[in-house]
Amino acid sequence: MAADEFQVAVKPSAIDRNSAVAELVASAGERLAYATEGDARTAAAELTRDGESPVRIQAVAPQDDTDADAYLVGASRTRGRLPAADPDDGWQFGVDASQYGALGEALLTAGDGVTRPLALYVRHDLDLGPETSLTIDVEEAPPAVSRPGIEGAWQPDCALAVAVAGRTVARYLCEVKTGGGSLERSQRELIEYAARETPVILARVDVSGLPREYEIAFEQFGTTSPDTPTDAAQRSLDDWAGDED
């Protein structure tokens, strides 16, 4: 990039909340260049108009270790006035960032979500056939992961405890991205750090086909196997089989 360009680093909040931003990042990357700050703010206004949620240009704090001139971040909508129409005529609302993210999580963990996408993925990862009966317990608020030298912490969206015949055989941490959201560098580093002990499932949920269907792409950090548990809370399938002998 030229030295006189106004450089904008796209933050995960903008990517997660606004699909137009996610599409732009997919083609242009997470560092955008504009001729002036005014051009950057105009582009942010256009992305707000094209996407589900507003985004804005935010100044870089003096202590931030970055060569970017500004950030593109997700913004909050101001509280709307009471709609003029009667309630029985129907009121239309935009989906805010927390609702959008929660939608992807609900598809994986609520109702039959656990018995379908996650269970199918676990069976694939552990090479378990349909004849093996398993249960998956979902912990909605597992402890955050931090590491010295890395700013902040990673909060998993959920944790999975996989059991066969009532005995735990595997455990996973989960990160759920709805839409085109990507991992921030520090978040990826913390996930890779956590995966040294407990494998991490990154699930990217495409909700564009709702209400008829949705699509999930899985990426795993760390490994698990039937004979090598990845943390102290796990029992291997071989351990379980030995108990049955």
Side-chain angles (χ1 to χ4, degrees), residues 108 116-122 124 174-175 201-205 215-220:
L108 262 75
R116 294 178 63 193
L118 288 176
L120 287 173
Y121 179 81
V122 167
H124 167 80
C174 299
E175 174 69 22
I201 298 172
L202 171 60
R204 300 183 184 277
V205 186
E215 180 177 321
I216 304 176
F218 293 99
E219 178 182 355
Q220 183 169 315

Side-chain angles (χ1 to χ4, degrees), residues 75-119:
S76 300
R77 294 190 184 275
T78 56
R79 187 178 298 274
R81 297 179 179 177
L82 184 68
D86 290 332
D88 57 1
D89 290 333
W91 291 346
Q92 187 174 27
F93 299 92
V95 178
D96 65 28
S98 61
Q99 291 173 320
Y100 192 63
L103 177 60
E105 293 181 37
L107 289 171
L108 262 75
T109 61
D112 68 351
V114 171
T115 64
R116 294 178 63 193
L118 288 176

Side-chain angles (χ1 to χ4, degrees), residues 42-72:
T42 298
E46 292 174 351
L47 290 165
T48 292
R49 185 170 58 252
D50 295 340
E52 303 85 0
S53 186
V55 294
R56 62 182 176 86
I57 297 296
Q58 176 179 290
V60 172
Q63 68 272 17
D64 286 3
D65 183 19
T66 179
D67 58 355
D69 297 301
Y71 298 129
L72 181 68

Side-chain angles (χ1 to χ4, degrees), residues 9-205:
V10 184
K11 304 298 281 184
S13 62
I15 300 171
D16 292 344
R17 300 176 186 182
N18 187 303
S19 61
V21 174
E23 292 175 4
L24 177 61
V25 166
S27 61
E30 296 183 4
R31 179 66 67 90
L32 308 175
Y34 300 94
T36 66
E37 180 179 354
D39 289 340
R41 294 188 181 279
T42 298
E46 292 174 351
L47 290 165
T48 292
R49 185 170 58 252
D50 295 340
E52 303 85 0
S53 186
V55 294
R56 62 182 176 86
I57 297 296
Q58 176 179 290
V60 172
Q63 68 272 17
D64 286 3
D65 183 19
T66 179
D67 58 355
D69 297 301
Y71 298 129
L72 181 68
V73 301
S76 300
R77 294 190 184 275
T78 56
R79 187 178 298 274
R81 297 179 179 177
L82 184 68
D86 290 332
D88 57 1
D89 290 333
W91 291 346
Q92 187 174 27
F93 299 92
V95 178
D96 65 28
S98 61
Q99 291 173 320
Y100 192 63
L103 177 60
E105 293 181 37
L107 289 171
L108 262 75
T109 61
D112 68 351
V114 171
T115 64
R116 294 178 63 193
L118 288 176
L120 287 173
Y121 179 81
V122 167
R123 288 184 184 277
H124 167 80
D125 185 45
L126 297 178
D127 194 23
L128 299 176
E131 71 281 356
T132 302
S133 177
L134 61 80
T135 58
I136 299 178
D137 289 330
V138 179
E139 180 182 351
E140 296 184 355
V145 176
S146 60
R147 182 183 184 184
I150 299 180
E151 184 179 356
W154 169 56
Q155 177 59 62
D157 290 314
C158 65
L160 309 179
V162 183
V164 174
R167 294 180 171 90
T168 301
V169 298
R171 179 175 167 83
Y172 301 85
L173 298 175
C174 299
E175 174 69 22
V176 182
K177 293 292 187 183
T178 306
S182 62
L183 296 176
E184 193 174 24
R185 179 179 177 182
S186 61
Q187 188 180 37
R188 179 175 288 272
E189 290 176 347
L190 288 168
I191 286 176
E192 291 174 345
Y193 174 71
R196 296 179 181 181
E197 297 292 333
T198 304
V200 178
I201 298 172
L202 171 60
R204 300 183 184 277
V205 186

